[in-house]
Amino acid sequence: MRLLRVATCNLNQWAMDFDTNLRNVKESIARAKAAGAAVRVGPELELTGYGCEDHFLEQDTAAHAWECLKDILSGGHTDGILCSIGMPVIFKSVRYNCQVFCLNSKIVMIRPKISLANDGNYREFRWFSAWTFKDELVDFQLPVDISEVTLQDTVPFGYGFIQFLDVSLAAETCEELFTANAPRIDLALNGVEVFVNASGSHHQLRKLSLRIDSMRNATLACGGVYMYANQQGCDGGRLYYDGCCCIAVNGDVVAQGSQFSLKDVEVLDALVDLDAVSSYRASVSSFREQASHRTNVPFVKVPYKLCKPFLSGMVPTGPAEVMYHCPEEEIAFGPSCWLWDYLRRSRASGFLLPLSGGADSSSVAAIVGCMCQLVVKDIENGDEQVKADAVRIGQYKDGEFPKDSKELAKRLFYTVYMGTENSSEDTRSRAKRLAEEIGSFHLDVPIDSIVSALLSLFERLTGKRPRYKVDGGSNAENLGLQNIQARIRMVLAFMMASLMPWVHNKSGFYLVLGSSNVDEGLRGYLTKYDCSSADINPIGSVSKQDLRAFLRWAAIHLQYSSLAEVEAAPPTAELEPIRANYNQLDEVDMGMTYEELSIYGRLRKIFRCGPVSMFQNLCHRWCGRLSPSEVADKVKHFFKYYAINRHKMTVLTPSYHAESYSPEDNRFDLRQFLYNAGWTYQFRKIDELVEDMDKDGKWENSTEGELRKRKGVRSAQGGGMGVVAVGSANPSAGS
């Protein structure tokens, strides 16, 4: 048996923080060596951090990466272990995203990335070029100071594999795991047994199974050992890299790291049997036939052994059960870890949240509470880095440290209920009870006097005083009065965040947390520069439906029982007066349900539908529920308000990325923000389609009975798919 111990890792890197990144890389190598590993792979671009973005265009960034690599090589860290280290490399004036393979203080080869990630949140072609030469390895002239350490002038550069005396090994980088013509296919046919993948993959709800299945299928089809490393944490932007380093062998996952963690370094190792790889491949006749007339891939010979012979007690690592978190757990743990990284790295002293008692702000509060629970748990488990950060942020003295999540929350989490005459006692009491359950420092701040002062000023200036619509006012008056309340809350929140630490004799400042969800952003159902405007927002890319499921989960698993009552309450902005015959409701204001908004969002972004194709899709989806003209009205209504409010996305608070249909303008969803909100051409085409469908009669014949039955039920229940409330108050439309 040829037994090989391999190690992979999750590293919490921070873009451009070379000290932190180098320290984590060294620590991961040391742990891998301590475990007896002969191969170690780290995350993509681990020396610089993956999220450097336009900093990659600076010569300094590549130069500092070489300086860090020199430190690793000269310090003997690679003695006795093959290390793949991710960094940018400039070759003949072209910048490449590379893995540098080092062994015994030498560079074995440099492998540039072949397939760059350039969709969604990724813009690699902006900074790097793909390596396109697959037929040869070329000589790379090392920097002088590196050459002095390694005693090498040049090293092999390009696409290929490393042939040791007892094993062959090659690399893929992140995106190459998911490409149709993946490098591993030709490499496997050339006899490569071990694949290392340095990745920079971010969290997205329900995405992990795609990654795990890709690794399983890669080794199921071609056999082999697949080592996957990833970043883990917030490296300075909207993304949370969700770790989950893995080792797979012949279709089975044999080791899996954590997906969400506060740790800076996590190392995973496994003992793999390479003869099992050879046996697996030799048993598949189609693999043998394809390998017998393969295309040769260039390689580097290294006269060195990595494997160990079989000894008594050495048992290869067996298959493990893959751990998946449910979406509710992902919402709890992902944003919690992201918030902790942001808090400790920003040098802030805590968070301040305008807590309304509604579903969105209560979700954010619960996530901060979950963060406090995770911190205390990790301290109990002996994590000294988490303990040191918590002591500094919480400003503990005389050897004290957090032992209770509520006590920690009291030190670093402020919640503020900013009520008006339009606020209900229900939301006020829910906010107070949730704050008590979490342990936050809670304030109840009436803002009616500030609203009244502004209205009096406006009246002195204009001679007019606006009224709410329920009191006879116009839509413009109604909207203006709602926006005044919303914007006062933003100003007050930032004021308190900067001054409350001073009031309590604490140093530093608090970060203001936003709480608008992805559906409200898509529809524009928020006031520009209200409490949706904050420093950061942990739920800005989470749907309302997922948040409500999270609230039900958190009420039990986080033991915040008041969240069950929050989830059961109908969503309301509470910006208009409450009357016996009127109560403001979000879905009526929007003219659509949150369920419908999620459908529109997925069709618009994921399935790339414009107004016409969305109409056609929904005609099929809602066949028997709505007539073509009703579907057309809904699609037009959505696109009208999407267009009117798109400008709000340009100032959207930086939000944790969690959902594939996020409308976030700055990085993910790149579109104009000034539209013809009438969509004259597109809406005319929809009208023509409706007219053709009505003339054809097939739609009417196939759905007439079902429509009548459903309309009868809706009339009896007073509900349905969501009524378009024409002329309803819409906090924010165009404001």
Side-chain angles (χ1 to χ4, degrees):
M1 297 177 72
R2 291 177 297 144
L3 297 178
L4 179 67
R5 186 164 294 279
V6 296
T8 182
C9 59
N10 297 327
L11 299 186
N12 193 335
Q13 306 299 76
W14 189 6
M16 301 300 291
D17 184 358
F18 292 92
D19 285 333
T20 293
N21 298 344
L22 179 58
R23 181 172 62 250
N24 290 346
V25 171
K26 287 180 178 179
E27 176 64 21
S28 68
I29 295 173
R31 293 189 192 180
K33 292 173 75 172
V39 180
R40 174 266 183 200
V41 59
E44 185 175 12
L45 297 166
E46 58 187 309
L47 289 182
T48 59
Y50 182 82
C52 296
E53 298 184 324
D54 280 1
H55 285 295
F56 283 125
L57 302 178
E58 301 165 4
Q59 293 288 106
D60 283 3
T61 305
H64 295 331
W66 279 113
E67 290 161 2
C68 291
L69 184 64
K70 177 182 176 181
D71 191 318
I72 293 170
L73 293 169
S74 62
H77 297 280
T78 63
D79 291 351
I81 185 170
L82 176 70
C83 294
S84 166
I85 298 174
M87 59 181 280
V89 174
I90 298 174
F91 178 50
K92 294 186 177 179
S93 301
V94 180
R95 188 180 301 100
Y96 296 100
N97 177 347
C98 295
Q99 293 184 58
V100 181
F101 286 91
C102 305
L103 173 66
N104 294 331
S105 300
K106 304 279 188 183
I107 295 176
V108 177
M109 74 171 288
I110 300 175
R111 165 45 159 96
K113 193 171 182 178
I114 296 170
S115 300
L116 301 183
N118 209 59
D119 52 12
N121 285 294
Y122 297 105
R123 299 284 181 276
E124 289 185 13
F125 273 107
R126 182 178 174 95
W127 313 298
F128 301 105
S129 293
W131 182 258
T132 58
F133 308 100
K134 294 188 176 182
D135 56 346
E136 63 175 341
L137 289 165
V138 298
D139 288 335
F140 176 84
Q141 181 69 48
L142 289 173
V144 174
D145 53 343
I146 299 295
S147 182
E148 291 173 352
V149 172
T150 64
L151 303 179
Q152 299 168 285
D153 293 325
T154 62
V155 295
F157 184 100
Y159 167 68
F161 64 93
I162 307 172
Q163 180 65 63
F164 292 92
L165 294 175
D166 50 4
V167 61
S168 54
L169 178 146
E172 289 190 326
T173 306
C174 198
E175 180 73 8
E176 294 166 3
L177 170 62
F178 307 102
T179 55
N181 186 18
R184 64 179 171 274
I185 297 173
D186 281 341
L187 291 166
L189 295 175
N190 275 264
V192 173
E193 299 158 306
V194 178
F195 302 91
V196 300
N197 186 309
S199 186
S201 187
H202 68 270
H203 174 238
Q204 192 166 284
L205 290 174
R206 306 173 179 89
K207 175 187 171 184
L208 181 60
S209 59
L210 170 64
R211 196 186 304 163
I212 297 292
D213 288 346
S214 295
M215 280 182 272
R216 277 176 161 168
N217 293 335
T219 58
L220 187 65
C222 297
V225 177
Y226 206 95
M227 303 164 57
Y228 176 88
N230 197 13
Q231 282 196 195
Q232 186 172 61
C234 167
D235 81 337
R238 293 164 173 80
L239 305 182
Y240 177 81
Y241 298 91
D242 60 337
C244 201
C245 56
C246 284
I247 301 171
V249 181
N250 294 343
D252 292 319
V253 173
V254 299
Q256 177 190 7
S258 65
Q259 186 176 12
F260 309 109
S261 173
L262 303 183
K263 295 182 176 67
D264 283 343
V265 178
E266 179 181 359
V267 175
L268 190 71
D269 69 276
L271 186 65
V272 297
D273 179 6
L274 297 181
D275 285 344
V277 173
S278 300
S279 175
Y280 180 89
R281 289 174 172 174
S283 68
V284 181
S285 62
S286 59
F287 183 90
R288 295 196 308 267
E289 291 305 307
Q290 290 177 342
S292 67
H293 50 271
R294 66 190 180 275
T295 300
N296 289 329
V297 175
F299 60 90
V300 177
K301 281 188 175 182
V302 179
Y304 189 85
K305 291 183 179 180
L306 295 179
C307 297
K308 296 181 179 179
F310 174 76
L311 296 173
S312 178
M314 295 180 65
V315 180
T317 307
E321 183 177 352
V322 177
M323 167 65 181
Y324 293 109
H325 290 284
C326 66
E328 294 81 6
E329 290 173 327
E330 292 184 79
I331 294 170
F333 301 139
S336 294
C337 295
W338 183 75
L339 283 178
W340 179 247
D341 277 345
Y342 202 103
L343 178 61
R344 68 191 182 112
R345 288 173 171 169
S346 67
R347 313 301 287 188
S349 302
F351 297 119
L352 184 139
L353 171 69
L355 181 59
S356 70
D360 295 333
S361 62
S362 296
S363 295
V364 173
I367 288 169
V368 177
C370 179
M371 181 199 78
C372 293
Q373 292 183 19
L374 292 176
V375 169
V376 170
K377 182 179 178 181
D378 273 29
I379 291 174
E380 291 174 350
N381 292 335
D383 193 315
E384 291 299 322
Q385 182 61 58
V386 173
K387 181 179 178 180
D389 287 332
V391 168
R392 175 181 57 81
I393 295 168
Q395 300 183 28
Y396 289 85
K397 298 178 180 179
D398 302 324
E400 294 182 344
F401 59 88
K403 298 177 182 177
D404 177 77
S405 63
K406 285 188 176 182
E407 189 275 331
L408 178 61
K410 198 77 170 181
R411 288 175 175 262
L412 55 78
F413 188 32
Y414 280 43
T415 51
V416 187
Y417 182 86
M418 292 181 271
T420 69
E421 61 184 0
N422 301 324
S423 303
S424 67
E425 185 56 39
D426 288 340
T427 55
R428 177 179 281 105
S429 63
R430 288 200 298 264
K432 182 180 179 181
R433 278 185 285 129
L434 178 58
E436 290 172 349
E437 291 172 347
I438 293 171
S440 66
F441 187 94
H442 186 67
L443 293 171
D444 189 331
V445 182
I447 63 170
D448 284 319
S449 60
I450 309 175
V451 175
S452 179
L454 284 172
L455 290 176
S456 296
L457 174 63
F458 181 82
E459 188 174 13
R460 285 198 301 272
L461 291 171
T462 65
K464 292 187 176 183
R465 192 176 184 92
R467 296 177 296 167
Y468 289 102
K469 192 172 182 180
V470 294
D471 296 327
S474 64
N475 282 334
E477 293 172 77
N478 197 63
L479 182 60
L481 287 170
Q482 294 181 69
N483 287 341
I484 289 171
Q485 301 165 67
R487 287 172 175 145
I488 285 171
R489 287 171 174 147
M490 182 205 71
V491 174
L492 187 57
F494 276 97
M495 177 182 175
M496 297 184 71
S498 63
L499 292 177
M500 287 307 292
W502 166 72
V503 170
H504 289 158
N505 297 314
K506 297 173 66 176
S507 62
F509 62 95
Y510 277 28
L511 294 164
V512 178
L513 297 179
S515 58
S516 59
N517 62 64
V518 69
D519 297 322
E520 291 171 346
L522 177 66
R523 166 61 171 73
Y525 187 69
L526 51 93
T527 299
K528 202 172 187 179
Y529 305 118
D530 70 344
C531 282
S532 64
S533 296
D535 289 309
I536 51 175
N537 181 356
I539 66 164
S541 186
V542 183
S543 73
K544 191 77 163 188
Q545 289 179 291
D546 281 338
L547 286 175
R548 297 190 75 163
F550 164 71
L551 289 172
R552 293 190 294 270
W553 177 89
I556 299 170
H557 294 88
L558 297 181
Q559 299 182 344
Y560 302 146
S561 58
S562 63
L563 292 177
E565 186 180 339
V566 172
E567 189 278 329
T572 173
E574 289 196 335
L575 293 171
E576 295 183 78
I578 299 172
R579 298 287 188 264
N581 61 347
Y582 179 76
N583 189 20
Q584 184 181 24
L585 296 174
D586 288 357
E587 292 184 332
V588 175
D589 272 2
M590 293 189 298
M592 59 192 75
T593 66
Y594 281 108
E595 179 184 359
E596 289 172 344
L597 259 176
S598 289
I599 293 171
Y600 299 148
R602 288 184 167 87
L603 287 173
R604 182 196 71 100
K605 178 66 176 177
I606 302 173
F607 295 96
R608 300 165 295 280
C609 289
V612 176
S613 54
M614 184 181 291
F615 165 75
Q616 293 170 322
N617 271 273
L618 290 178
C619 278
H620 292 291
R621 181 180 292 222
W622 289 341
C623 179
R625 304 171 71 178
L626 296 172
S627 68
S629 61
E630 289 174 313
V631 175
D633 288 343
K634 285 183 172 292
V635 170
K636 290 178 182 178
H637 187 71
F638 164 71
F639 272 102
K640 172 187 175 182
Y641 282 99
Y642 161 77
I644 289 173
N645 291 303
R646 177 67 186 181
H647 65 96
K648 297 174 185 175
M649 297 302 97
T650 64
V651 295
L652 194 69
T653 295
S655 301
Y656 179 100
H657 178 85
E659 184 56 77
S660 56
Y661 69 90
S662 170
E664 191 270 311
D665 176 78
N666 294 284
R667 295 289 189 278
F668 185 68
D669 189 44
L670 306 181
R671 302 168 196 247
Q672 72 209 68
F673 55 86
L674 177 61
Y675 282 89
N676 176 355
W679 299 87
T680 51
Y681 185 90
Q682 295 91 331
F683 286 2
R684 187 168 66 250
K685 299 300 290 187
I686 291 176
D687 291 339
E688 292 171 1
L689 288 171
V690 171
E691 185 178 350
D692 290 344
M693 295 168 80
D694 288 342
K695 285 180 181 177
D696 186 60
K698 292 181 180 179
W699 178 281
E700 183 177 352
N701 293 335
S702 65
T703 63
E704 183 178 7
E706 183 66 19
L707 278 171
R708 287 176 179 171
K709 181 171 66 176
R710 288 181 177 273
K711 285 182 177 179
V713 172
R714 287 202 298 273
S715 297
Q717 294 177 343
M721 282 295 295
V723 179
V724 175
V726 179
S728 65
N730 171 27
S732 67
S735 298

